[in-house]
Amino acid sequence: MLSLQPLSNPKSSSLYSSSFTPPNSLSPKTLKPILSCRPSRNFYPSIHSMLQYNRKPQLAGDTPRVVVITSGKGGVGKTTTTANIGLSLARLGFSVVAIDCDVGLRNLDLLLGLENRVNYTVVEVLNGDCRLDQALVRDKRWSNFELLCISKPRSKLPIGFGGKALVWLVDALKARDEGGPDFIIIDCPAGIDAGFITAITPANEAVLVTTPDITSLRDADRVTGLLECDGIRDIKMIVNRVRTDMIKGEDMMSVLDVQEMLGLPLLGVIPEDSEVIRSTNRGYPLVLNKPPALAGLAFEQAAWRLVEQDSMETVMMEEEPKKRGFFSFFGR
């Protein structure tokens, strides 16, 4: 039996346990007790810091940091990740603007409970019908978090709207009188068509959301190549909807298997949690729940690592075999 454990949070090893056989021909008994799986630091510089909730994380990199959250495959949790990480960053004291780039199928406002307050969108700003500050919806719970929607539901963008228009929008957010935000988070639509190309154009960082199944991993690998071709080298991965019971039963790939297949630094691991559906239907993100949900805590830790440009380090450890008693011969 193998188990995975993030060094940044040693107490949560039960989330990452795995009984999958490694891809090489070595048996678990011949493995070293700890095997580091961090990618090359030449491409992914990181700050090695333990999660310390008694201090504010140190913001790394130049601001504003433009981060696109993407996956390629639909239904893996991009919008949920955007809502929870965005509000987690706001709770840490950073100013955040979340942009919903899903044209005609926007859902970010629903997850945040702001659907009744979206009166103007980017389309009205580009047409000159309103100012940019009128299209920004400020969250009443955290005033340093703002939402900006590209278009209204069931609407189409003008033909001329593309990557250049989104770059202009990001530049306008940077040049605001009250100062630019610390983070601009872009919720990317599913697929790799024109909407995907538009969403990744102004970004200099990417968070790739995937689930531990082969269909999602194949799409994630394809999207990784497209991001690198667009010049985005800082790509981190979030593995969503991880189920420990299925990993132990060898019915689901472990986090280590996913990381070995994609070769990306790990930003966070989100366990399967029934609270996700409840929070979505209430328009109340997981990170605001009291008491906090397990998935909400995982999102908060991922946001902390995003601030400091850190990543989890997956390790492989050998577990001691369980001692068998005398009555085990009789199936007990």
Side-chain angles (χ1 to χ4, degrees), residues 6 23 33 38 44 74 123 155 159 166 197 204 212 214 237 257 283 314:
R38 182 183 291 277
Y44 309 109
V123 173
S155 64
I159 298 178
L166 195 59
I197 300 299
N204 46 41
I214 57 174
M237 171 180 61
D257 296 326
T314 310

Side-chain angles (χ1 to χ4, degrees), residues 258-330:
V258 174
Q259 193 172 20
E260 287 179 345
M261 292 182 65
L262 296 179
L264 297 174
L266 189 61
L267 185 65
V269 178
I270 314 299
E272 182 76 33
D273 196 338
S274 59
E275 284 296 325
V276 175
I277 298 177
R278 296 190 183 98
S279 66
T280 299
N281 292 335
R282 296 198 310 261
Y284 198 80
L286 282 169
V287 295
L288 302 180
N289 282 4
K290 294 181 181 179
L294 190 61
L297 292 175
F299 277 121
E300 288 182 345
Q301 294 178 5
W304 186 287
R305 299 185 191 100
L306 182 64
V307 170
E308 299 195 339
Q309 292 185 339
D310 200 358
S311 62
M312 297 175 66
E313 186 162 341
T314 310
V315 297
M316 183 181 297
M317 296 189 305
E318 184 178 355
E319 290 185 357
E320 296 181 359
K322 295 182 179 179
K323 295 181 180 181
R324 298 174 62 85
F326 173 77
F327 292 101
S328 62
F329 178 77
F330 302 99

Side-chain angles (χ1 to χ4, degrees), residues 237-272:
M237 171 180 61
I238 287 181
V239 184
N240 194 20
R241 305 185 68 178
V242 176
R243 290 185 56 178
T244 308
D245 55 339
M246 294 187 66
I247 292 177
K248 290 181 178 180
E250 301 187 8
D251 295 321
M252 176 180 285
M253 285 181 288
S254 67
V255 179
L256 182 59
D257 296 326
V258 174
Q259 193 172 20
E260 287 179 345
M261 292 182 65
L262 296 179
L264 297 174
L266 189 61
L267 185 65
V269 178
I270 314 299
E272 182 76 33

Side-chain angles (χ1 to χ4, degrees), residues 25-40:
S25 59
L26 298 177
S27 63
K29 295 182 179 180
T30 61
L31 292 175
K32 295 181 180 180
I34 298 180
L35 176 62
S36 175
C37 297
R38 182 183 291 277
S40 173

